[in-house]
Amino acid sequence: MESLLLSVLIIAIAMALFLVKLIFKKDGRFSSQHIHDSKAMKDRGIHCVMDQDREARKRGKAY
C-alpha cells in the first residue's frame, strides 16, 4: 500500500510540473512535435515518413 501511494504521489508531482507551462504561460501550448513542423528538420532536409511516401508515389518509386 505504501508503494502504491508513493507511486501516485510521484505521478501527481510529475503531472503538476508538466502542466506548469500550460497554466502560467500566456497562450501556453505545447509546441508541435511533428517532424514536418520543425524548422531545424526542414533545414536538414529531413521529412516525415508520410511526406516521403507521398513524394515517392508521385515519382513512381514507392516500393
Side-chain angles (χ1 to χ4, degrees):
M1 186 66 170
E2 183 178 321
S3 63
L4 177 65
L5 290 175
L6 183 61
S7 299
V8 170
L9 178 64
I10 290 172
I11 292 171
I13 291 170
M15 290 302 294
L17 292 173
F18 188 65
L19 296 174
V20 165
K21 181 178 180 181
L22 292 177
I23 295 169
F24 293 112
K25 185 177 178 186
K26 182 180 178 181
D27 192 30
R29 286 187 274 169
F30 291 108
S31 60
S32 175
Q33 300 299 313
H34 294 279
I35 292 174
H36 67 267
D37 292 335
S38 172
K39 183 178 179 337
M41 293 293 190
K42 285 180 185 177
D43 291 344
R44 291 184 179 114
I46 299 171
H47 299 84
C48 172
V49 71
M50 298 299 285
D51 294 338
Q52 289 177 345
D53 182 57
R54 189 177 308 116
E55 292 169 5
R57 288 178 187 270
K58 284 181 182 177
R59 290 189 308 246
K61 295 184 178 183
Y63 301 151

